Amino acid sequence: MWEYQKILQYPINIKTPNAKFAQIVTSQYGGPDGELGASLRYLSQRFSMPYPEIQGILTDIGTEELGHLEMVGSIVYQLTRNLTPEEIKKSGFDAYFVDHTTGVYPASSAGVPFTAAYIQSTGDVIADLHEDLAAEQKARKTYDNILRLVDDPDVCDAIKFLRAREIVHYQRFGEALRIATDKMQSKNFYAFNPSFDKVIKK
C-alpha cells in the first residue's frame, strides 16, 4: 500500500518553454531506459522475489521510479506549455503535436511508443538483479546524454537530481545481489557449484 504525497520528490520550475528540449527529455518518460519501464520492472519482479529484504528494495525503488516518472512528465509539460504554432514547427515538435498536442505521452525521443518489451521479469533472482543493475546504468547514461544536449539550468538541475538517484539505485541493487548470493543454497546457484553443469547436461 502506498501513500501519495501531492508534491514532487524534487521541485520542477522551468521558466522558458522549449519544445526541442521536451523532445529530448521525453525519452526518460517512456523510452527504452526510462522511468516508466523502471517502475514496472521492479514492481513486477518483487512478486516472485523469494527474499523479503530484496522485495522491500524492489518496492522502494519501484515506487520512487513512479515519483521520477511524475518529475519527468512535469519537465516535459512545463517545456511545452504556451508554445505558439510557429515555435512548435521551428523546433521539430510538430510530428508529436499532431498526435498528442502537448499531452505527455510515453514514447522515446525518436517517437517510438513505450512497449513492455523494454522490461524483463524472469522470476530468476540473479537474472533479475543483473537486469536491474544494467537498467540503472542505462538510465544514468540517458541522463548524461540529456545533460550533453540541454543547457537550460532549470531543466539540468532536475536532471542532475534524477541522475544521482540512478547511482543510488545501482548501489542498492548491488547490495541486493550480495544479499541474494549469501542466501542462496549452493545447489541452486551455478556460480558456487561446479557440479551444476553436470545437472544441466543430463
Side-chain angles (χ1 to χ4, degrees):
M1 195 68 182
W2 294 286
E3 180 180 336
Y4 176 64
Q5 296 181 354
K6 297 182 181 181
I7 57 170
L8 295 175
Q9 187 181 11
Y10 191 85
I12 309 294
N13 296 299
I14 297 168
K15 303 175 195 68
T16 307
N18 185 313
K20 177 53 69 177
F21 290 168
Q23 187 177 1
I24 292 167
V25 172
T26 196
S27 251
Q28 274 304 94
Y29 192 80
D33 303 312
E35 303 292 357
L36 178 58
S39 60
L40 291 175
R41 178 186 300 108
Y42 308 144
L43 293 175
S44 296
Q45 289 176 354
R46 70 194 177 110
F47 291 107
S48 58
M49 181 57 62
Y51 307 118
E53 306 96 312
I54 304 177
Q55 281 181 352
I57 290 172
L58 287 165
T59 302
D60 289 347
I61 296 177
T63 303
E64 185 177 358
E65 301 290 20
L66 289 173
H68 293 173
L69 183 71
E70 186 179 32
M71 285 180 61
V72 175
S74 297
I75 294 170
V76 172
Y77 173 73
Q78 290 185 27
L79 282 169
T80 58
R81 71 185 187 279
N82 303 323
L83 291 170
T84 66
E86 291 73 24
E87 289 170 324
I88 289 168
K89 285 187 281 188
K90 184 178 179 181
S91 66
F93 197 68
D94 47 350
Y96 181 99
F97 184 85
V98 166
D99 291 330
H100 310 295
T101 320
T102 56
V104 179
Y105 177 76
S108 72
S109 58
V112 179
F114 177 80
T115 169
Y118 291 154
I119 69 171
Q120 184 56 278
S121 179
T122 68
D124 182 283
V125 174
I126 301 301
D128 280 351
L129 289 174
H130 278 283
E131 163 110 356
D132 302 342
L133 287 161
E136 292 300 325
Q137 287 300 326
K138 288 186 282 186
R140 187 268 311 154
K141 169 270 306 172
T142 304
Y143 283 127
D144 285 347
N145 288 339
I146 290 170
L147 289 169
R148 291 182 177 105
L149 298 172
V150 173
D151 59 7
D152 183 325
D154 294 333
V155 177
C156 291
D157 181 53
I159 295 298
K160 287 175 182 176
F161 170 84
L162 290 164
R163 180 190 183 279
R165 295 306 300 164
E166 305 298 347
I167 294 169
V168 171
H169 294 170
Y170 179 80
Q171 293 167 338
R172 291 202 67 199
F173 283 129
E175 295 166 7
L177 185 59
R178 285 190 293 276
I179 292 168
T181 53
D182 286 345
K183 286 180 172 289
M184 292 181 81
Q185 298 176 13
S186 63
K187 67 179 180 180
N188 294 327
F189 187 25
Y190 64 90
F192 296 151
N193 188 357
S195 65
F196 188 80
D197 285 339
K198 297 176 184 176
V199 175
I200 293 297
K201 290 174 183 176
K202 287 183 180 179

